[in-house]
Amino acid sequence: MKNILTSLLLSFSIYGFSQTEKKNDSIVKTYVNDLDEVIIVKKKETYVQKSDKMIFNVENSIVSEGGTALDVLARAPGVVVSQDGDLAVRGQKGVSVMIDGKLTQLSQKELANYLKSTTSSNIKQIEVITNPSSKYDAAGKAGIINIIMKKSRASGLKGTAFTNYARSRKNRTNSGLNLSYNKDKFNIYGNYSYTFRGEEERKNFDQIQFQDATKQEIATTNHQSSITNEPLTSNNFKIGTQYEISSKTNLEFSIDAKIGRYDNIANGKNILLNQLNQPEYDAITYNNNKEKWNDYTYAFSGVHKFNSEGKNMSFDIEYETSKFRSNQFQSAKNQITNSSIITDDRRGLIPSKLEVFTAKIDFNNPIKEKQNIEWGFKSSIKNNDNPSVYEFYQNNQWEVDASSTNHFVYKEQIHAAYVNYKYQIDNFNIQAGIRTEFTAIDIIQKTLNTNNKSDYLKWFPSLSMKYEVNENHSFHTSYSRRINRPDQFELNPFRFYNDPFNYYQGNPNLVPEIANSAEIGYSWKNLLMASLYFNQTKDVFTEVYLYNPDNNTTVTTQVNIDKSYNYGANITNTTNFYKWWSLNTLFNIFENRFSGNTANANAITPIVTYNLNLQNSFTISESWKAEANAQYQSKSNVGVFVRDDFFDFSVGISKQVLAKKGSIKFNITDVFKTKNFNIHSDIGLTNIDKRYNLDSRVATLALTYRI
């Protein structure tokens, strides 16, 4: 089977075309020249390589149409998305996500829900920034992913309407409208989208507990299986206005709203066998988790130009308020009447309120013709209130579970300042900067009447250089120091139950990860880009699990281990076989190496992993285009787990209609149903095997019309 998949991988690929930057850092734009009513248009390329980032022009990808932001991220270069929505770049977790250049303040779980409810039709570009300059927030040890939304600047009334229908195991649909009106010095814009995402997943979880380290004698064997029904509904809208006070000053105000709900209804079985392979517990399980959220962001920003030489000042002020609520119910009915294991029905109410205030100011000051200094300040204040209550049904009444109930309050302040210097000498460009961030955290557990405070000041240098030998050959190198802070969900010690036997519990003792990253690369014309990279991270977050045989429960949490090393090579190649066929190859090979003990083992065995993404574009005619995408990733480390290799093959076709104002697109993702998420761990006294049969094969029909 693997040989067949490899052959297919080498034969088919998705639309792609990658280029590298020119001296003036202006890569690929859309040029429109009016020559006596003759308009020449050069289309943006799907993939663009710059010295510090890779740009994925989503609006050019047929396969990405009709999906969600999370689906699109899974197709971005170097990005891998886990079953739970965790993001990794070049095999590393700890990725910061920005929307239109603004850092999101959501926890990983909340961010995954938001990305699942954001339609890809509203996304213009995705930037994968592996070594950001000091101008960016230092958060994210693996770098930054910046999602740029569509926004029209054309004069008059312009817009786009879209709708699509998709079918996987369940129905999926989303529709929306983007409008903008520009006249003279005034601009108003807005967008709205409705998303319904039906999803069904099939999960198997096997766990073997051994009596001693030799693993010769089994203590217990546990088999769990479930089929989930996971409908998600969201309504997202944004409205804003821009006004040009003068030729030098522009102001903008916007309101962004995200309202949604998500259900996870799972029916399954749980069987526990003793050392004699006899059933001690055989239960029919039921889990119902209903989540609702509403998030509103109010933003005010502006730009003032001091002169025509590029000296300017910009500012951004944001206030975000978010409410999240989860209602859980779990039950397990043991079919063995004489069993000593008894489980009670459980229910949980998990509300959360988040408030974030952010303000920043940036200055750009050209010193001479080829020198420039950027500097600025930023402050963010975050408050999260999470009073969670769990109850179990006993003696014909609901009783509070004191071991799970907790009122958690998280307060965080981050104050930053940076300076960034740019200098160009002939064909040599250098950029050096330093950023400092002061962090103050206050963790209050009202139920336990405890209060943990911490504060620290960290410095984050960055350096990048580029030398262009001639117009065909160039070299670049970069370095940055970054931080990955645990979010409020990872620090909160409350229990989040996946089912009556498995729950996640945060660790309030987690300390931030500190990463040092370096990269060196070479570019030949616009056809070949290659780079070597290295990352060392201290106090690495690692997921661990602890099994309690007395009540057959497994708790998953995170701990810090000493260090990790991530190193590898990345190659991007573009080949134009014919005018109607272009091939883009993205290849990444890396290894993650860990040092330090975990709660389960003395060491984590490193694995060399490679990811190959072959992408093709076919221009059938002026109005017909087609794509095919083949991606393969070999076995890889996921903390203490090992993920199996996976393969994904997707195709799409599009046609322009209605005098080129409209388009019809049809695509199928994961055609051969080979993109599963299977992970294993056999360290310590426990072997764990998780197999997820994902709802990844989706057929989508999408319609778009430009007003």
Side-chain angles (χ1 to χ4, degrees):
M1 181 63 180
K2 185 176 293 186
N3 291 334
I4 296 175
L5 297 181
T6 304
S7 299
L8 289 169
L9 185 64
L10 295 173
S11 302
F12 299 99
S13 55
I14 188 180
Y15 173 39
F17 190 96
S18 176
Q19 296 205 18
T20 188
E21 70 179 331
K22 304 294 183 183
K23 292 181 181 180
N24 60 1
D25 199 33
S26 177
I27 314 298
V28 181
K29 298 180 179 178
T30 301
Y31 299 97
V32 181
N33 300 324
D34 195 348
L35 304 174
D36 295 331
E37 298 184 353
V38 177
I39 298 177
I40 302 173
V41 177
K42 182 179 180 180
K43 187 180 179 181
K44 290 183 179 180
E45 309 300 346
T46 299
Y47 289 87
V48 176
Q49 176 71 59
K50 291 191 176 183
S51 61
D52 62 340
K53 59 189 171 185
M54 173 76 85
I55 298 175
F56 173 27
N57 286 308
V58 177
E59 56 191 351
N60 287 5
S61 174
I62 300 172
V63 171
S64 299
E65 186 73 24
T68 68
L70 201 62
D71 298 329
V72 172
L73 284 174
R75 303 190 182 283
V79 179
V80 174
V81 180
S82 77
Q83 184 270 340
D84 296 318
D86 292 336
L87 303 175
V89 173
R90 292 176 172 177
Q92 281 199 103
K93 289 186 177 182
V95 183
S96 289
V97 176
M98 303 173 72
I99 309 295
D100 287 332
K102 299 176 181 179
L103 191 67
T104 60
Q105 301 293 337
L106 303 174
S107 69
Q108 181 60 52
K109 180 177 177 58
E110 293 168 333
L111 178 62
N113 280 339
Y114 168 64
L115 294 176
K116 286 180 181 179
S117 62
T118 301
T119 174
S120 63
S121 300
N122 283 337
I123 299 175
K124 179 182 179 181
Q125 291 178 336
I126 290 177
E127 297 178 339
V128 181
I129 311 171
T130 51
N131 264 341
S133 72
S134 61
K135 185 176 181 178
Y136 292 91
D137 289 81
K141 70 170 184 179
I144 294 173
I145 294 175
N146 185 23
I147 302 173
I148 301 175
M149 311 303 286
K150 292 179 180 177
K151 188 183 295 184
S152 175
R153 299 292 185 184
S155 61
L157 179 63
K158 301 293 181 180
T160 304
F162 61 88
T163 185
N164 62 71
Y165 169 77
R167 177 69 187 181
S168 54
R169 292 170 181 151
K170 302 286 185 178
N171 292 323
R172 303 182 183 187
T173 183
N174 67 65
S175 301
L177 181 67
N178 299 298
L179 286 176
S180 69
Y181 178 76
N182 295 273
K183 185 176 182 181
D184 300 328
K185 299 180 179 182
F186 180 75
N187 171 38
I188 185 170
Y189 60 89
N191 62 66
Y192 168 78
S193 65
Y194 167 81
T195 299
F196 173 79
R197 175 187 170 94
E199 187 171 9
E200 177 187 299
E201 293 188 354
R202 298 159 189 176
K203 304 178 181 180
N204 288 279
F205 179 19
D206 293 338
Q207 182 170 282
I208 300 175
Q209 190 72 20
F210 295 93
Q211 294 189 12
D212 54 50
T214 64
K215 294 188 176 183
Q216 298 299 313
E217 296 185 19
I218 295 177
T220 59
T221 303
N222 189 214
H223 303 284
Q224 297 180 41
S225 62
S226 65
I227 298 178
T228 67
N229 180 21
E230 304 178 40
L232 181 147
T233 304
S234 72
N235 292 271
N236 296 346
F237 70 86
K238 183 175 183 178
I239 186 169
T241 182
Q242 295 174 320
Y243 182 68
E244 183 180 330
I245 297 177
S246 68
S247 60
K248 294 183 177 181
T249 306
N250 287 274
L251 297 177
E252 181 175 358
F253 176 76
S254 65
I255 301 174
D256 192 353
K258 315 170 191 67
I259 304 169
R261 62 173 295 163
Y262 166 75
D263 296 346
N264 189 319
I265 304 167
N267 291 280
K269 285 186 63 73
N270 188 319
I271 301 175
L272 178 67
L273 306 175
N274 60 22
Q275 59 185 4
L276 300 177
N277 206 34
Q278 298 171 336
E280 290 190 356
Y281 185 78
D282 186 356
I284 297 175
T285 61
Y286 174 76
N287 178 71
N288 191 334
N289 179 32
K290 298 182 180 295
E291 299 177 358
K292 294 182 179 180
W293 63 87
N294 59 72
D295 183 284
Y296 299 92
T297 301
Y298 307 88
F300 179 55
S301 62
V303 177
H304 177 72
K305 301 176 183 178
F306 294 102
N307 56 38
S308 59
E309 283 73 42
K311 185 177 182 180
N312 63 63
M313 178 273 291
S314 63
F315 71 88
D316 286 277
I317 300 173
E318 276 192 2
Y319 172 71
E320 179 180 2
T321 175
S322 175
K323 291 183 179 180
F324 175 86
R325 183 183 182 93
S326 174
N327 290 330
Q328 297 182 354
F329 175 79
Q330 290 114 10
S331 70
K333 304 301 181 184
N334 192 356
Q335 300 180 94
I336 301 178
T337 56
N338 60 347
S339 174
S340 60
I341 300 177
I342 299 175
T343 55
D344 299 311
D345 290 349
R346 302 181 58 85
R347 69 182 185 185
L349 174 61
I350 309 171
S352 175
K353 182 179 180 180
L354 174 69
E355 290 183 306
V356 183
F357 175 80
T358 305
K360 71 172 184 173
I361 185 167
D362 299 288
F363 295 89
N364 186 64
N365 187 18
I367 303 175
K368 296 180 180 179
E369 182 181 356
K370 296 184 178 181
Q371 297 184 61
N372 190 70
I373 288 183
E374 299 172 320
W375 56 284
F377 307 92
K378 180 179 179 180
S379 290
S380 67
I381 301 172
K382 178 191 297 185
N383 293 306
N384 182 251
D385 190 4
N386 183 200
S388 60
V389 178
Y390 276 104
E391 298 175 318
F392 56 86
Y393 194 73
Q394 198 172 66
N395 301 322
N396 296 320
Q397 63 180 350
W398 288 101
E399 299 181 5
V400 174
D401 182 359
S403 64
S404 304
T405 297
N406 184 34
H407 190 172
F408 178 84
V409 177
Y410 178 81
K411 299 180 179 181
E412 175 191 272
Q413 293 188 40
I414 301 176
H415 306 285
Y418 77 91
V419 61
N420 201 42
Y421 173 72
K422 298 179 180 179
Y423 186 36
Q424 179 177 343
I425 309 174
D426 297 327
N427 292 339
F428 180 72
N429 293 274
I430 184 170
Q431 181 176 198
I434 185 75
R435 185 182 185 92
T436 181
E437 294 187 352
F438 173 78
T439 305
I441 295 175
D442 188 5
I443 298 176
I444 305 170
Q445 298 184 60
K446 292 187 175 182
T447 305
L448 302 177
N449 195 26
T450 62
N451 188 356
N452 297 324
K453 293 185 177 182
S454 64
D455 59 73
Y456 49 87
L457 179 70
K458 301 290 185 182
W459 296 85
F460 305 97
S462 63
L463 173 68
S464 66
M465 294 180 289
K466 182 176 181 181
Y467 177 68
E468 296 187 346
V469 181
N470 51 48
E471 62 181 13
N472 293 330
H473 302 276
S474 66
F475 296 89
H476 73 270
T477 184
S478 61
Y479 163 80
S480 67
R481 188 171 189 258
R482 304 189 60 75
I483 187 172
N484 188 40
R485 301 176 182 90
D487 63 35
Q488 60 267 24
F489 182 74
E490 293 168 323
L491 292 170
N492 193 339
F494 85 96
R495 297 180 180 181
F496 190 91
Y497 281 85
N498 296 316
D499 57 56
F501 308 97
N502 296 276
Y503 63 87
Y504 176 88
Q505 187 169 19
N507 179 5
N509 298 315
L510 277 179
V511 299
E513 299 175 299
I514 301 294
N516 291 277
S517 302
E519 180 173 334
I520 183 170
Y522 164 76
S523 175
W524 174 63
K525 294 184 177 181
N526 297 327
L527 304 176
L528 176 67
M529 287 142 287
S531 62
L532 300 173
Y533 57 87
F534 175 82
N535 176 289
Q536 181 199 59
T537 303
K538 183 181 178 183
D539 296 322
V540 184
F541 300 162
T542 301
E543 186 176 271
V544 297
Y545 50 88
L546 302 171
Y547 177 69
N548 186 347
D550 296 332
N551 56 11
N552 189 31
T553 59
T554 299
V555 54
T556 302
T557 187
Q558 296 220 51
V559 299
N560 292 108
I561 62 172
D562 186 22
K563 291 180 182 179
S564 74
Y565 304 90
N566 169 263
Y567 41 85
N570 190 70
I571 299 174
T572 304
N573 175 252
T574 299
T575 304
N576 294 308
F577 294 107
Y578 304 99
K579 291 183 179 180
W580 53 270
W581 179 18
S582 64
L583 168 67
N584 188 28
T585 303
L586 303 172
F587 178 74
N588 184 36
I589 184 169
F590 63 89
E591 181 178 81
N592 291 319
R593 185 175 293 271
F594 299 86
S595 66
N597 296 340
T598 71
N600 302 83
N602 296 328
I604 300 173
T605 304
I607 298 175
V608 176
T609 303
Y610 67 90
N611 183 290
L612 180 61
N613 196 337
L614 300 175
Q615 308 171 1
N616 254 338
S617 162
F618 302 97
T619 302
I620 302 172
S621 67
E622 185 178 354
S623 61
W624 284 91
K625 298 184 185 301
E627 301 177 13
N629 171 14
Q631 181 183 23
Y632 175 78
Q633 178 165 300
S634 63
K635 189 177 294 185
S636 61
N637 288 109
V638 185
V640 298
F641 291 96
V642 173
R643 179 176 180 175
D644 284 350
D645 58 340
F646 65 88
F647 176 78
D648 175 24
F649 178 72
S650 302
V651 294
I653 191 168
S654 71
K655 177 172 174 32
Q656 291 182 329
V657 295
L658 302 175
K660 296 185 179 180
K661 286 189 174 183
S663 65
I664 300 176
K665 299 180 180 181
F666 177 74
N667 64 64
I668 303 176
T669 60
D670 194 15
V671 174
F672 300 114
K673 199 67 181 63
T674 50
K675 192 178 181 180
N676 293 326
F677 185 78
N678 300 330
I679 57 176
H680 319 273
S681 177
D682 59 357
I683 60 179
L685 298 178
T686 307
N687 284 7
I688 286 182
D689 183 15
K690 295 183 179 181
R691 300 180 305 280
Y692 297 85
N693 189 336
L694 302 178
D695 198 358
S696 55
R697 181 162 54 195
V698 185
T700 303
L701 179 64
L703 307 176
T704 303
Y705 180 76
R706 296 183 299 278
I707 300 172

